[in-house]
Amino acid sequence: MLKLTVKPGEYLLIGDDIKLVFAGGSANNLRILVDAPKSMNVARSAALVKNGLAAEPGNEVKHYRDREISPEAQEKIKAILMEERKKARKASQGKSQGRTAAAGR
């Protein structure tokens, strides 16, 4: 086990994917922000005890899987994104043509 002294705002990196940020606290409480991939199981010991689970391999608390988006919804999202990209391209082309015309004066 590693014991560290940190100041609010400092953070720890664990591997490439996990970041623990110490946000401050008091004598009895410490606020920690955990930035980890959804695939990582992050559970408080109180939650494990409440659910009657020991913090051992195989006893991890499982999170609900995100609902899948229907193929129809995926197609609609793709169409909307393509339309927005076209609008952005037209807008940027209009700006670049305006600059070219102004430079030619």
Side-chain angles (χ1 to χ4, degrees), residues 6-54:
V6 294
K7 297 176 184 169
E10 291 184 331
Y11 60 88
L12 297 174
L13 294 176
I14 301 174
D16 294 332
D17 297 334
I18 302 171
K19 184 176 183 179
L20 299 175
V21 181
F22 295 88
S26 63
N28 295 325
N29 295 303
L30 179 65
R31 290 189 309 275
I32 301 172
L33 307 172
V34 179
D35 183 12
K38 281 188 171 185
S39 61
M40 295 295 301
N41 186 31
V42 179
R44 291 173 50 161
S45 60
L48 293 172
V49 170
K50 180 180 174 184
N51 292 307
L53 299 173

Short mmCIF file of all heavy atoms in Angstrom, two decimals, residues 6-54:
data_model
loop_
_atom_site.label_atom_id
_atom_site.label_comp_id
_atom_site.label_asym_id
_atom_site.label_seq_id
_atom_site.Cartn_x
_atom_site.Cartn_y
_atom_site.Cartn_z
N VAL A 6 -1.20 14.78 -0.29
CA VAL A 6 -1.51 15.58 -1.48
C VAL A 6 -2.26 16.84 -1.07
O VAL A 6 -2.86 16.91 0.00
CB VAL A 6 -2.35 14.78 -2.50
CG1 VAL A 6 -1.55 13.63 -3.06
CG2 VAL A 6 -3.62 14.29 -1.88
N LYS A 7 -2.22 17.81 -1.94
CA LYS A 7 -2.94 19.07 -1.73
C LYS A 7 -4.15 19.10 -2.65
O LYS A 7 -4.14 18.45 -3.71
CB LYS A 7 -2.02 20.25 -2.04
CG LYS A 7 -0.82 20.34 -1.13
CD LYS A 7 0.10 21.46 -1.55
CE LYS A 7 1.34 21.45 -0.68
NZ LYS A 7 2.37 22.33 -1.20
N PRO A 8 -5.19 19.85 -2.30
CA PRO A 8 -6.34 19.97 -3.21
C PRO A 8 -5.91 20.41 -4.60
O PRO A 8 -5.06 21.29 -4.75
CB PRO A 8 -7.21 21.02 -2.53
CG PRO A 8 -6.86 20.92 -1.08
CD PRO A 8 -5.39 20.61 -1.06
N GLY A 9 -6.47 19.76 -5.60
CA GLY A 9 -6.14 20.07 -6.99
C GLY A 9 -5.08 19.15 -7.55
O GLY A 9 -4.96 19.00 -8.77
N GLU A 10 -4.29 18.51 -6.69
CA GLU A 10 -3.30 17.56 -7.18
C GLU A 10 -4.02 16.27 -7.58
O GLU A 10 -5.13 16.00 -7.13
CB GLU A 10 -2.25 17.26 -6.11
CG GLU A 10 -1.34 18.42 -5.83
CD GLU A 10 -0.25 18.08 -4.83
OE1 GLU A 10 -0.46 17.21 -3.97
OE2 GLU A 10 0.82 18.68 -4.94
N TYR A 11 -3.37 15.50 -8.41
CA TYR A 11 -4.01 14.26 -8.87
C TYR A 11 -3.00 13.15 -8.99
O TYR A 11 -1.79 13.37 -9.00
CB TYR A 11 -4.74 14.47 -10.20
CG TYR A 11 -3.86 14.92 -11.34
CD1 TYR A 11 -3.21 13.99 -12.14
CD2 TYR A 11 -3.67 16.26 -11.61
CE1 TYR A 11 -2.41 14.40 -13.19
CE2 TYR A 11 -2.87 16.68 -12.65
CZ TYR A 11 -2.24 15.75 -13.44
OH TYR A 11 -1.44 16.15 -14.47
N LEU A 12 -3.53 11.93 -9.07
CA LEU A 12 -2.73 10.73 -9.29
C LEU A 12 -3.16 10.10 -10.59
O LEU A 12 -4.35 10.04 -10.89
CB LEU A 12 -2.97 9.71 -8.17
CG LEU A 12 -2.57 10.09 -6.77
CD1 LEU A 12 -3.03 9.02 -5.80
CD2 LEU A 12 -1.07 10.25 -6.68
N LEU A 13 -2.21 9.62 -11.36
CA LEU A 13 -2.51 8.85 -12.56
C LEU A 13 -2.22 7.40 -12.25
O LEU A 13 -1.16 7.06 -11.74
CB LEU A 13 -1.66 9.32 -13.73
CG LEU A 13 -1.93 10.73 -14.24
CD1 LEU A 13 -0.94 11.09 -15.33
CD2 LEU A 13 -3.34 10.84 -14.75
N ILE A 14 -3.20 6.55 -12.55
CA ILE A 14 -3.03 5.11 -12.37
C ILE A 14 -3.12 4.50 -13.76
O ILE A 14 -4.19 4.49 -14.37
CB ILE A 14 -4.10 4.53 -11.44
CG1 ILE A 14 -4.02 5.21 -10.07
CG2 ILE A 14 -3.94 3.02 -11.31
CD1 ILE A 14 -5.11 4.83 -9.12
N GLY A 15 -2.00 4.04 -14.26
CA GLY A 15 -1.96 3.54 -15.64
C GLY A 15 -2.23 4.68 -16.60
O GLY A 15 -1.97 5.85 -16.31
N ASP A 16 -2.77 4.35 -17.76
CA ASP A 16 -3.05 5.35 -18.78
C ASP A 16 -4.48 5.86 -18.72
O ASP A 16 -4.79 6.88 -19.33
CB ASP A 16 -2.81 4.77 -20.18
CG ASP A 16 -1.34 4.45 -20.41
OD1 ASP A 16 -0.48 5.11 -19.81
OD2 ASP A 16 -1.07 3.52 -21.20
N ASP A 17 -5.36 5.15 -17.99
CA ASP A 17 -6.79 5.44 -18.09
C ASP A 17 -7.44 5.99 -16.83
O ASP A 17 -8.57 6.44 -16.89
CB ASP A 17 -7.54 4.15 -18.46
CG ASP A 17 -7.13 3.62 -19.81
OD1 ASP A 17 -6.69 4.43 -20.64
OD2 ASP A 17 -7.25 2.42 -20.03
N ILE A 18 -6.78 5.95 -15.68
CA ILE A 18 -7.45 6.32 -14.43
C ILE A 18 -6.76 7.53 -13.82
O ILE A 18 -5.54 7.57 -13.68
CB ILE A 18 -7.44 5.16 -13.43
CG1 ILE A 18 -8.13 3.94 -14.04
CG2 ILE A 18 -8.10 5.56 -12.12
CD1 ILE A 18 -7.99 2.68 -13.25
N LYS A 19 -7.57 8.54 -13.47
CA LYS A 19 -7.06 9.75 -12.85
C LYS A 19 -7.86 10.00 -11.57
O LYS A 19 -9.09 10.02 -11.60
CB LYS A 19 -7.22 10.93 -13.81
CG LYS A 19 -6.65 12.23 -13.32
CD LYS A 19 -6.78 13.29 -14.40
CE LYS A 19 -6.16 14.59 -14.01
NZ LYS A 19 -6.30 15.60 -15.08
N LEU A 20 -7.18 10.17 -10.44
CA LEU A 20 -7.81 10.51 -9.18
C LEU A 20 -7.43 11.94 -8.83
O LEU A 20 -6.26 12.26 -8.69
CB LEU A 20 -7.33 9.59 -8.05
CG LEU A 20 -7.60 8.10 -8.21
CD1 LEU A 20 -6.95 7.33 -7.07
CD2 LEU A 20 -9.08 7.83 -8.25
N VAL A 21 -8.43 12.80 -8.71
CA VAL A 21 -8.19 14.22 -8.40
C VAL A 21 -8.64 14.47 -6.97
O VAL A 21 -9.77 14.14 -6.60
CB VAL A 21 -8.98 15.14 -9.37
CG1 VAL A 21 -8.69 16.59 -9.04
CG2 VAL A 21 -8.63 14.83 -10.81
N PHE A 22 -7.80 15.05 -6.17
CA PHE A 22 -8.13 15.38 -4.79
C PHE A 22 -8.69 16.79 -4.76
O PHE A 22 -7.99 17.76 -5.01
CB PHE A 22 -6.90 15.23 -3.90
CG PHE A 22 -6.44 13.81 -3.84
CD1 PHE A 22 -5.55 13.31 -4.77
CD2 PHE A 22 -6.95 12.95 -2.89
CE1 PHE A 22 -5.15 11.99 -4.75
CE2 PHE A 22 -6.55 11.62 -2.86
CZ PHE A 22 -5.65 11.14 -3.79
N ALA A 23 -10.00 16.89 -4.46
CA ALA A 23 -10.70 18.16 -4.54
C ALA A 23 -10.76 18.89 -3.21
O ALA A 23 -11.36 19.95 -3.11
CB ALA A 23 -12.12 17.93 -5.06
N GLY A 24 -10.16 18.36 -2.17
CA GLY A 24 -10.16 19.01 -0.87
C GLY A 24 -10.92 18.18 0.14
O GLY A 24 -11.20 17.02 -0.06
N GLY A 25 -11.25 18.82 1.26
CA GLY A 25 -11.97 18.11 2.29
C GLY A 25 -11.72 18.73 3.65
O GLY A 25 -11.22 19.84 3.77
N SER A 26 -12.06 17.97 4.68
CA SER A 26 -11.86 18.43 6.05
C SER A 26 -11.18 17.30 6.82
O SER A 26 -10.73 16.32 6.23
CB SER A 26 -13.21 18.77 6.68
OG SER A 26 -14.03 17.61 6.74
N ALA A 27 -11.16 17.43 8.15
CA ALA A 27 -10.49 16.42 8.97
C ALA A 27 -11.14 15.04 8.81
O ALA A 27 -10.45 14.02 8.85
CB ALA A 27 -10.52 16.85 10.43
N ASN A 28 -12.45 15.00 8.63
CA ASN A 28 -13.16 13.72 8.57
C ASN A 28 -13.60 13.31 7.17
O ASN A 28 -14.06 12.19 6.99
CB ASN A 28 -14.39 13.75 9.48
CG ASN A 28 -14.00 13.89 10.93
OD1 ASN A 28 -12.98 13.37 11.35
ND2 ASN A 28 -14.77 14.64 11.68
N ASN A 29 -13.52 14.20 6.21
CA ASN A 29 -14.01 13.91 4.86
C ASN A 29 -12.98 14.33 3.82
O ASN A 29 -12.31 15.34 3.98
CB ASN A 29 -15.31 14.66 4.58
CG ASN A 29 -16.43 14.21 5.46
OD1 ASN A 29 -16.75 13.03 5.48
ND2 ASN A 29 -17.04 15.12 6.19
N LEU A 30 -12.92 13.56 2.77
CA LEU A 30 -12.02 13.86 1.66
C LEU A 30 -12.81 13.73 0.37
O LEU A 30 -13.53 12.75 0.19
CB LEU A 30 -10.85 12.87 1.65
CG LEU A 30 -9.84 13.02 0.54
CD1 LEU A 30 -9.10 14.34 0.66
CD2 LEU A 30 -8.84 11.88 0.59
N ARG A 31 -12.73 14.72 -0.50
CA ARG A 31 -13.44 14.65 -1.78
C ARG A 31 -12.46 14.22 -2.86
O ARG A 31 -11.43 14.86 -3.07
CB ARG A 31 -14.07 16.00 -2.11
CG ARG A 31 -15.23 16.33 -1.19
CD ARG A 31 -15.99 17.56 -1.63
NE ARG A 31 -15.17 18.73 -1.88
CZ ARG A 31 -14.78 19.60 -0.95
NH1 ARG A 31 -15.12 19.43 0.29
NH2 ARG A 31 -14.06 20.64 -1.29
N ILE A 32 -12.81 13.15 -3.53
CA ILE A 32 -11.98 12.59 -4.60
C ILE A 32 -12.82 12.50 -5.86
O ILE A 32 -13.94 12.01 -5.83
CB ILE A 32 -11.47 11.18 -4.24
CG1 ILE A 32 -10.67 11.21 -2.96
CG2 ILE A 32 -10.63 10.60 -5.38
CD1 ILE A 32 -10.32 9.83 -2.44
N LEU A 33 -12.28 12.96 -6.97
CA LEU A 33 -12.92 12.82 -8.28
C LEU A 33 -12.21 11.67 -8.99
O LEU A 33 -11.00 11.65 -9.07
CB LEU A 33 -12.79 14.10 -9.08
CG LEU A 33 -13.27 15.38 -8.38
CD1 LEU A 33 -12.91 16.60 -9.20
CD2 LEU A 33 -14.75 15.31 -8.16
N VAL A 34 -12.98 10.73 -9.49
CA VAL A 34 -12.42 9.57 -10.18
C VAL A 34 -12.79 9.65 -11.65
O VAL A 34 -13.97 9.69 -12.00
CB VAL A 34 -12.96 8.25 -9.58
CG1 VAL A 34 -12.38 7.05 -10.32
CG2 VAL A 34 -12.65 8.17 -8.09
N ASP A 35 -11.79 9.70 -12.51
CA ASP A 35 -12.00 9.69 -13.95
C ASP A 35 -11.46 8.35 -14.46
O ASP A 35 -10.25 8.14 -14.52
CB ASP A 35 -11.26 10.86 -14.60
CG ASP A 35 -11.49 10.95 -16.09
OD1 ASP A 35 -12.40 10.27 -16.59
OD2 ASP A 35 -10.77 11.72 -16.75
N ALA A 36 -12.39 7.43 -14.76
CA ALA A 36 -12.00 6.09 -15.20
C ALA A 36 -12.93 5.64 -16.31
O ALA A 36 -14.06 6.10 -16.40
CB ALA A 36 -12.09 5.13 -14.01
N PRO A 37 -12.47 4.73 -17.17
CA PRO A 37 -13.34 4.20 -18.22
C PRO A 37 -14.54 3.48 -17.64
O PRO A 37 -14.48 2.96 -16.53
CB PRO A 37 -12.44 3.21 -18.97
CG PRO A 37 -11.06 3.46 -18.50
CD PRO A 37 -11.14 4.14 -17.20
N LYS A 38 -15.65 3.47 -18.40
CA LYS A 38 -16.85 2.78 -17.94
C LYS A 38 -16.60 1.30 -17.69
O LYS A 38 -17.29 0.69 -16.90
CB LYS A 38 -17.98 2.94 -18.96
CG LYS A 38 -18.67 4.26 -18.91
CD LYS A 38 -19.87 4.23 -19.83
CE LYS A 38 -20.71 5.47 -19.64
NZ LYS A 38 -21.94 5.40 -20.43
N SER A 39 -15.64 0.74 -18.38
CA SER A 39 -15.37 -0.69 -18.22
C SER A 39 -14.76 -1.02 -16.86
O SER A 39 -14.77 -2.17 -16.44
CB SER A 39 -14.46 -1.18 -19.34
OG SER A 39 -13.22 -0.50 -19.27
N MET A 40 -14.24 -0.01 -16.17
CA MET A 40 -13.64 -0.22 -14.85
C MET A 40 -14.74 -0.22 -13.80
O MET A 40 -15.63 0.62 -13.82
CB MET A 40 -12.63 0.88 -14.53
CG MET A 40 -11.42 0.91 -15.42
SD MET A 40 -10.38 -0.54 -15.28
CE MET A 40 -9.94 -0.51 -13.59
N ASN A 41 -14.66 -1.14 -12.86
CA ASN A 41 -15.62 -1.21 -11.78
C ASN A 41 -15.11 -0.33 -10.64
O ASN A 41 -14.07 -0.60 -10.05
CB ASN A 41 -15.77 -2.66 -11.32
CG ASN A 41 -16.86 -2.81 -10.30
OD1 ASN A 41 -17.84 -2.08 -10.33
ND2 ASN A 41 -16.70 -3.74 -9.39
N VAL A 42 -15.85 0.75 -10.32
CA VAL A 42 -15.50 1.64 -9.23
C VAL A 42 -16.65 1.61 -8.25
O VAL A 42 -17.77 1.97 -8.59
CB VAL A 42 -15.27 3.09 -9.75
CG1 VAL A 42 -14.93 4.02 -8.60
CG2 VAL A 42 -14.18 3.12 -10.80
N ALA A 43 -16.39 1.14 -7.03
CA ALA A 43 -17.45 1.03 -6.03
C ALA A 43 -16.90 1.42 -4.66
O ALA A 43 -15.76 1.10 -4.31
CB ALA A 43 -17.99 -0.39 -5.98
N ARG A 44 -17.73 2.13 -3.89
CA ARG A 44 -17.35 2.49 -2.52
C ARG A 44 -17.48 1.26 -1.64
O ARG A 44 -18.35 0.42 -1.84
CB ARG A 44 -18.29 3.58 -1.99
CG ARG A 44 -18.11 4.90 -2.68
CD ARG A 44 -19.14 5.88 -2.26
NE ARG A 44 -19.25 5.97 -0.80
CZ ARG A 44 -19.80 6.99 -0.17
NH1 ARG A 44 -20.30 7.98 -0.84
NH2 ARG A 44 -19.86 7.00 1.13
N SER A 45 -16.64 1.19 -0.62
CA SER A 45 -16.71 0.05 0.29
C SER A 45 -18.06 0.00 0.99
O SER A 45 -18.60 -1.08 1.24
CB SER A 45 -15.58 0.12 1.32
OG SER A 45 -15.67 1.32 2.07
N ALA A 46 -18.65 1.16 1.30
CA ALA A 46 -19.97 1.17 1.95
C ALA A 46 -21.03 0.54 1.06
O ALA A 46 -21.92 -0.16 1.54
CB ALA A 46 -20.36 2.62 2.29
N ALA A 47 -20.93 0.74 -0.26
CA ALA A 47 -21.89 0.14 -1.18
C ALA A 47 -21.71 -1.37 -1.22
O ALA A 47 -22.68 -2.12 -1.31
CB ALA A 47 -21.73 0.73 -2.57
N LEU A 48 -20.47 -1.82 -1.16
CA LEU A 48 -20.22 -3.26 -1.16
C LEU A 48 -20.79 -3.90 0.10
O LEU A 48 -21.43 -4.95 0.04
CB LEU A 48 -18.72 -3.54 -1.27
CG LEU A 48 -18.06 -3.15 -2.58
CD1 LEU A 48 -16.55 -3.31 -2.48
CD2 LEU A 48 -18.61 -3.96 -3.72
N VAL A 49 -20.57 -3.27 1.25
CA VAL A 49 -21.08 -3.80 2.50
C VAL A 49 -22.61 -3.79 2.50
O VAL A 49 -23.25 -4.77 2.90
CB VAL A 49 -20.53 -2.98 3.70
CG1 VAL A 49 -21.23 -3.37 4.99
CG2 VAL A 49 -19.03 -3.17 3.82
N LYS A 50 -23.20 -2.70 2.01
CA LYS A 50 -24.66 -2.58 1.97
C LYS A 50 -25.28 -3.69 1.13
O LYS A 50 -26.33 -4.22 1.47
CB LYS A 50 -25.04 -1.22 1.39
CG LYS A 50 -26.53 -0.98 1.28
CD LYS A 50 -26.80 0.39 0.69
CE LYS A 50 -28.29 0.58 0.46
NZ LYS A 50 -28.56 1.86 -0.20
N ASN A 51 -24.62 -4.06 0.04
CA ASN A 51 -25.14 -5.10 -0.84
C ASN A 51 -24.65 -6.50 -0.46
O ASN A 51 -24.90 -7.46 -1.18
CB ASN A 51 -24.77 -4.80 -2.29
CG ASN A 51 -25.50 -3.58 -2.80
OD1 ASN A 51 -26.72 -3.50 -2.71
ND2 ASN A 51 -24.76 -2.62 -3.33
N GLY A 52 -23.94 -6.60 0.66
CA GLY A 52 -23.48 -7.90 1.13
C GLY A 52 -22.38 -8.50 0.30
O GLY A 52 -22.24 -9.72 0.24
N LEU A 53 -21.60 -7.67 -0.35
CA LEU A 53 -20.52 -8.16 -1.20
C LEU A 53 -19.18 -7.82 -0.58
O LEU A 53 -18.96 -6.70 -0.12
CB LEU A 53 -20.61 -7.55 -2.59
CG LEU A 53 -21.88 -7.84 -3.37
CD1 LEU A 53 -21.90 -7.04 -4.65
CD2 LEU A 53 -21.97 -9.32 -3.68
N ALA A 54 -18.29 -8.75 -0.60
CA ALA A 54 -16.93 -8.48 -0.17
C ALA A 54 -16.15 -7.98 -1.38
O ALA A 54 -16.47 -8.31 -2.51
CB ALA A 54 -16.29 -9.75 0.39
#
